[in-house]
Amino acid sequence: MGLKNYLFLFHDKEFWWALVVTLYYALIIIPLNIVVSLLLAILLRKRYKLNSMYRTFFFLPFVLDAFVVGIVWTFIYAGRYGLLVNILKPLIGSIYETGFLGSAKTVMPSVALAMTLKGAGFGMILYIAALDGIPKEVYEAAELDGATGLKKLWYITVPLIQPVTTFMVIIGIIAALSAFAEFYAMTGGGPIVYKWGAPLGMTKVTGLYLFNHFSNLRLGLAAATSFVLLVLALGLSITYSKIQRKQ
Amino acid sequence: MKKFLWYFTVTLLAIIFMFPFVWMLLTALKEPGTALVLSLPKKLTLYNFKKVLFEFGFSRFFLNSLIVALSSATVSTLFASLAAFAFAKKSFFMKEYLFWLFIASMMVPGLLYVIPQFLIVYKLGWINTYWGMIVPHLANVFGLFLITQFMRQVPDSLLESARIDGASEFKIWWRIMVPLAFPIVATVFLLNFQFHWSNFLWQLIVAQSEKMYTVPVGLAMFKSAHEEAYTLEMAASSVSIVPISLLFIFAQRYFIEGITQGAVKG
């Protein structure tokens, strides 16, 4: 009783491994998602005709189920008969056989890309609202001082939309720590890699680790994992927003 | 020239974003056994849809998804707007503290509620029932937050004059507050509907027999059972994706409003 379950987690290689691969996933998807969202928002700030139609295209995947979208991507990423491996056949060597989700090198970036294309519309909406809030005069003043396109973006736009970026990072940390449906659909935790002297799942993220305890009816361990992840999610979010505020 | 470049870029991006779903629909409309051939379907057929809906039980799963999502969204939106009325216009013990506590709970990743909620639902004997799928999610903090912000702006004088006319508090809520807050109440309803339509993990855990499966759970089980039937799998995915997409396209304004409001104020 008592701390037994927490001690088990502390000594469990698979738990630490789950944290490592979750961190790896977060380090890919959070920046990727922010860059794509911001790019879409900047593009849609131009109010040409059909603007709202394009906005619908970019935002629509966000409201769909991560599990079902994952199933669709599994079909596209598959080896041999999959669409992508056939298009890229001359470039990818052995991935043609394994598919993008079957290779330890490509699996995490592939999941991150699929989920960015699903979720970037959310960040886009937030960034559009933030960009609309920047007064025109700021840019006009910068232009008088000789600032050009990229400089304006980096020295004016990026700092002024920092609150949204902070929010995106925090939401991203929480989403990575609780990512489940996309990995359940696309990888099931695989492929297996040999690390730390044991076979470990290249994409066995914390969400799958937790579910694994649960489905094997180790409810105490599942609950302990939940609690550790909760502390991590809150701790990381609070630390990050404090650092941001100091700057 | 600049305009052309813009259209070129956004069109390319739109194709990338929409491609998986177009590919899904095209595959679902292909004749069985031709999914692995990388070509456009020669002849469009609804065979796969008929098969998943009527032979593999997806019409039942669809009905279950609809029951769960509709009833959860309706009841949780009503609860949220009732609570919002109290938080916006009443004073009671520890009100500010409670509100803050609710808001803070939004920081907890959804996955971490699953184990404790499962234990409660299990003890109540609600595993494999609609109750188990619906009741744990009826308290909706995000909706409460959005509606409270909106109801705070309703002038007190309006409520006072209704009280003088003899309206009960319940009547004030239903006849004044809800109609005034209608745009945001509709937003909360849609966001809740979308959440419950896609709440895969919880449904996977609670629905244990085939008659209780929702569409994504049916798809998960289907996946393991019929490894090679890609056209059928894509038809089943379409059954899940097409309805929510249509709902979204018609009510897009409300979705976007809710997200912007939530982020700006939160």
Side-chain angles (χ1 to χ4, degrees), chain A residues 43 48-49 54 56-60 63-65 67 72-73 81 83 86 117 126 178 180 185 214 226 230, chain B residues 6-7 11 13-14 17-20 38 107 111-112 115 119 194 201 216 220 223 230 244 248 252 259 263:
Chain A
L43 280 169
Y48 292 136
K49 255 183 216 161
Y54 285 110
T56 307
F57 286 147
F58 299 139
F59 188 60
L60 176 61
V63 302
L64 305 178
D65 184 349
F67 177 77
V72 175
W73 275 100
Y81 57 80
L83 182 74
N86 279 291
L117 292 179
L126 300 186
S178 57
F180 170 77
F214 174 80
S226 297
L230 171 65
Chain B
W6 185 85
Y7 276 109
T11 307
L13 282 166
F17 270 74
M18 281 295 108
F19 176 77
L38 295 173
M107 295 293 289
L111 176 70
L112 307 185
I115 306 296
L119 291 173
Q194 179 256 336
L201 175 58
K223 201 186 169 216
Y230 297 104
I244 194 83
F248 168 76
Q252 185 183 177
I259 284 165

Side-chain angles (χ1 to χ4, degrees), chain A residues 127-192:
Chain A
Y127 276 125
I128 289 176
L131 291 173
D132 284 343
I134 302 177
K136 266 200 186 122
E137 292 78 24
V138 181
Y139 287 109
E140 283 162 9
E143 274 158 28
L144 285 178
D145 291 340
T148 50
L150 273 180
K151 267 197 172 154
K152 275 191 283 182
L153 174 68
W154 187 249
Y155 289 107
I156 301 174
T157 313
V158 170
L160 282 174
I161 55 177
Q162 184 60 47
V164 174
T165 309
T166 303
F167 180 72
M168 295 278 289
V169 172
I170 291 173
I171 294 270
I173 292 170
I174 294 174
L177 280 171
S178 57
F180 170 77
E182 53 270 51
F183 286 100
Y184 189 78
M186 295 171 81
T187 72
I192 298 292

Side-chain angles (χ1 to χ4, degrees), chain A residues 115-126:
Chain A
M115 286 302 119
T116 300
L117 292 179
K118 171 180 149 37
F122 175 73
M124 173 192 78
I125 298 291
L126 300 186

Side-chain angles (χ1 to χ4, degrees), chain A residues 36 39-40 42-44 46 48-52 54-69 71-76 81-83 86 116-118 120-122 125-126 129 167 170 174 177-181 184-186 206-207 210-211 214 219 222-223 225-227 229-230 233-234 237, chain B residues 2-3 6-7 9-11 13-21 23-24 27 35-36 38 104 106-116 118-119 194 197-201 204-205 215-217 219-221 223 230-231 233-234 236-238 240-241 244-246 248-249 252 255-256 259-260 262-264 266:
Chain A
V36 175
L39 173 74
L40 295 176
I42 290 172
L43 280 169
L44 290 191
K46 293 253 182 281
Y48 292 136
K49 255 183 216 161
L50 299 178
N51 181 301
S52 65
Y54 285 110
R55 192 182 60 180
T56 307
F57 286 147
F58 299 139
F59 188 60
L60 176 61
F62 171 71
V63 302
L64 305 178
D65 184 349
F67 177 77
V68 182
V69 174
I71 295 283
V72 175
W73 275 100
T74 309
F75 187 58
I76 293 172
Y81 57 80
L83 182 74
N86 279 291
T116 300
L117 292 179
K118 171 180 149 37
F122 175 73
I125 298 291
L126 300 186
F167 180 72
I170 291 173
I174 294 174
L177 280 171
S178 57
F180 170 77
Y184 189 78
M186 295 171 81
T206 45
L210 169 64
F211 183 74
F214 174 80
L219 294 182
T225 310
S226 297
F227 189 72
L229 294 182
L230 171 65
L234 292 182
S237 308
Chain B
K2 220 176 164 185
K3 211 170 171 180
W6 185 85
Y7 276 109
T9 317
V10 288
T11 307
L13 282 166
I15 291 171
I16 295 173
F17 270 74
M18 281 295 108
F19 176 77
F21 309 109
W23 190 245
M24 168 194 79
T27 308
L36 307 187
L38 295 173
M106 279 200 286
M107 295 293 289
V108 179
L111 176 70
L112 307 185
Y113 285 104
V114 167
I115 306 296
F118 175 82
L119 291 173
Q194 179 256 336
W197 188 264
S198 318
N199 195 4
F200 171 66
L201 175 58
L204 180 71
I205 286 173
V215 177
V217 179
L219 190 59
M221 300 304 163
K223 201 186 169 216
Y230 297 104
T231 43
E233 219 174 80
M234 289 302 114
S237 302
S238 308
S240 165
I241 282 178
I244 194 83
S245 301
L246 290 177
F248 168 76
I249 288 167
Q252 185 183 177
F255 278 100
I256 289 174
I259 284 165
T260 321
V264 170

